[in-house]
Amino acid sequence: MAGSQRSQRAARLVFSGSRIPADGFREDVIAGLSLPRKSIPPKYFYDAKGSRLFEAICALREYYPTRAELALTRAHLAGIARFAGRGGVLIEYGSGAGVKSRLLIGALAPSTYVPVDISREALRAAAAALRRRFPRLEILAVHGDFSRPLRVPAAQGRGRRVVYFPGSTIGNLTPAEALAFLRRTRGQVGARGAMLVGVDLKKDARVLHAAYNDAKGVTAAFNLNLLNRINRELGAGFRLHRFAHYAFYNPALGRIEMHLVSRVRQQVRIGRRRFSFEAGETIHTENSYKYSVEDFQKLARSAGFRSEKVWLDAKGVFALHGLVAR
Ligand SMILES: C[S@@+](CC[C@H](N)C(=O)[O-])C[C@H]1O[C@@H](n2cnc3c(N)ncnc32)[C@H](O)[C@@H]1O
């Protein structure tokens, strides 16, 4: 390819910002708070402040998943690159700050990188930083919601399609949602495609409890920020001091559950609607499912993938699964 053509292609950085219906947030919050057991999908944590708070969580002493996944990615980078192949199209769901992405892009040297995230500010900042770090890389950034079928832009780059889904974000989906997501991804990568999925492993409940109840209260601030966002964007009247962060491991379901618990009996308005809370009643805000290696492999098989590789960190707390299309 001629030099000028190449630099033109490399300079493309596209945002597809119209894929999230503007009223989805209000509808989902009203619907979730109208349920007998109140709940709000975790994807709404990630406004600009929520994304910053998530990055602060990643740096906490108690929050082991980010450190473990980064360490195992660094330790096995050559093997991961051999598995995924170089020069293809790398699509990343829930790309966030793009810290792990940087390692992978360096090793895989994809022709095109497609980060997808619901947090516009985080996506913009990460894409701009990656562009400075990899000036010749074509980046097609998609502001979108991966919990629904989503068309990622037809990447110009040819070669194998590899989907990267780190951070144990798959654990935020129920097993049924995770299966549907993996099936969609299997369709997207095609017969020659592959997937790299970061999955948090089952472990001592005390370690899990500490990771979601940090001493500095950053996870609590992340959880409560959802109410701030509802107040600001939907004109609601949540008083944050009347709610508390509550997170625990549910061993029967193999998941951390995060809730906001009402400290008192109260009513909260959102626009013209009013919602009643008993003292002790909760809004379920997030699940984080933990999988054994075998359980996740079984799930991936049901979605049309074959598990080819599993990399673990030195302490055996986190797994990166290398899946190929069956
Ligand atoms: C647990 S964080 C992981 C971030 C990063 N991948 C990492 O490994 O540290 C989840 C990321 O997924 C994004 N996200 C959550 N739900 C999403 C959805 N439904 N669609 C698109 N992005 C989503 C968040 O904005 C956030 O960046």
Side-chain angles (χ1 to χ4, degrees), residues 42-44 46 51 54-55 58 63 66 69 92-98 100 116-119 122 144-148 165-169 172-173 286:
K43 63 187 177 188
Y44 293 118
Y46 298 94
S51 292
F54 179 74
E55 288 313 305
C58 291
Y63 195 75
T66 306
E69 192 177 22
E92 180 173 358
Y93 287 111
S95 45
K100 294 159 199 158
V116 180
D117 207 289
I118 202 162
S119 176
D145 178 353
F146 62 61
S147 64
R148 314 168 185 183
F165 197 34
S168 198
T169 307
N172 299 146
L173 310 179
E286 188 181 73

Side-chain angles (χ1 to χ4, degrees), residues 6-320:
R6 174 158 186 92
S7 59
Q8 246 180 22
R9 209 193 82 185
R12 282 189 68 201
L13 198 156
V14 176
F15 282 89
S16 315
S18 58
R19 286 159 204 274
I20 300 177
D23 57 354
F25 184 36
R26 177 180 296 276
E27 283 172 4
D28 286 352
V29 168
I30 300 281
L33 295 182
S34 305
L35 293 170
R37 288 184 175 176
K38 296 178 171 63
S39 70
I40 297 175
K43 63 187 177 188
Y44 293 118
F45 280 137
Y46 298 94
D47 61 356
K49 185 169 178 197
S51 292
R52 284 198 298 276
L53 283 167
F54 179 74
E55 288 313 305
I57 289 172
C58 291
L60 291 168
R61 183 179 52 80
E62 298 95 330
Y63 195 75
Y64 63 86
T66 306
R67 264 190 310 281
E69 192 177 22
L70 268 172
L72 82 83
T73 306
R74 286 198 182 102
H76 299 287
L77 201 51
I80 293 168
R82 269 196 304 281
F83 162 80
R86 288 169 59 87
V89 176
L90 182 65
I91 300 164
E92 180 173 358
Y93 287 111
S95 45
V99 178
K100 294 159 199 158
S101 336
R102 219 164 294 165
L103 289 175
L104 225 64
I105 292 168
L108 269 55
S111 60
T112 305
Y113 171 59
V114 187
V116 180
D117 207 289
I118 202 162
S119 176
R120 183 190 289 263
E121 294 77 7
L123 181 68
R124 247 180 213 292
L130 285 172
R131 188 184 183 187
R132 286 193 294 276
R133 172 79 181 74
F134 301 99
R136 299 176 74 82
L137 175 66
E138 178 182 50
I139 302 176
L140 305 175
V142 178
H143 178 223
D145 178 353
F146 62 61
S147 64
R148 314 168 185 183
L150 178 71
R151 275 223 332 257
V152 300
Q156 288 181 354
R158 273 188 289 246
R160 190 182 205 196
R161 286 186 164 212
V162 178
V163 164
Y164 184 38
F165 197 34
S168 198
T169 307
I170 196 148
N172 299 146
L173 310 179
T174 64
E177 289 165 349
L179 179 62
F181 173 80
L182 288 170
R183 284 198 171 129
R184 283 199 298 275
T185 307
R186 167 63 189 82
Q188 185 176 53
V189 297
R192 292 177 50 237
M195 191 171 185
L196 287 161
V197 195
V199 181
D200 196 14
L201 291 164
K202 287 208 164 90
K203 58 184 61 65
D204 187 331
R206 285 169 299 186
V207 176
L208 292 169
H209 183 88
Y212 292 84
N213 290 283
D214 65 277
K216 287 185 180 157
V218 184
T219 314
F222 174 73
N223 199 5
L224 284 158
N225 180 55
L226 179 61
L227 301 183
N228 255 334
R229 180 178 186 183
I230 297 172
N231 282 349
R232 193 183 63 246
E233 294 185 23
L234 306 183
F238 280 102
R239 291 195 226 170
L240 269 59
H241 64 277
R242 291 185 167 185
F243 287 85
H245 167 71
Y246 177 47
F248 62 94
Y249 185 61
N250 179 335
L253 295 174
R255 70 188 193 193
I256 282 280
E257 290 186 19
M258 212 149 86
H259 296 253
L260 287 164
V261 54
S262 177
R263 293 179 191 270
V264 293
R265 189 168 193 208
Q266 59 181 316
Q267 285 207 333
V268 179
R269 79 179 158 74
I270 303 181
R272 296 218 296 270
R273 303 283 300 260
R274 275 181 191 278
F275 295 91
S276 300
F277 290 84
E278 293 299 329
E281 188 178 352
T282 76
I283 308 172
H284 189 166
T285 50
E286 188 181 73
N287 290 316
S288 183
Y289 281 85
K290 311 298 170 187
Y291 289 92
S292 69
V293 165
E294 296 72 26
D295 283 351
F296 189 75
Q297 286 175 326
K298 217 164 121 189
L299 184 72
R301 251 197 318 278
S302 317
F305 283 107
R306 179 165 55 80
S307 166
E308 195 168 288
K309 291 276 181 194
V310 185
W311 296 276
L312 299 185
D313 65 297
K315 290 187 184 156
V317 295
F318 200 94
L320 182 69

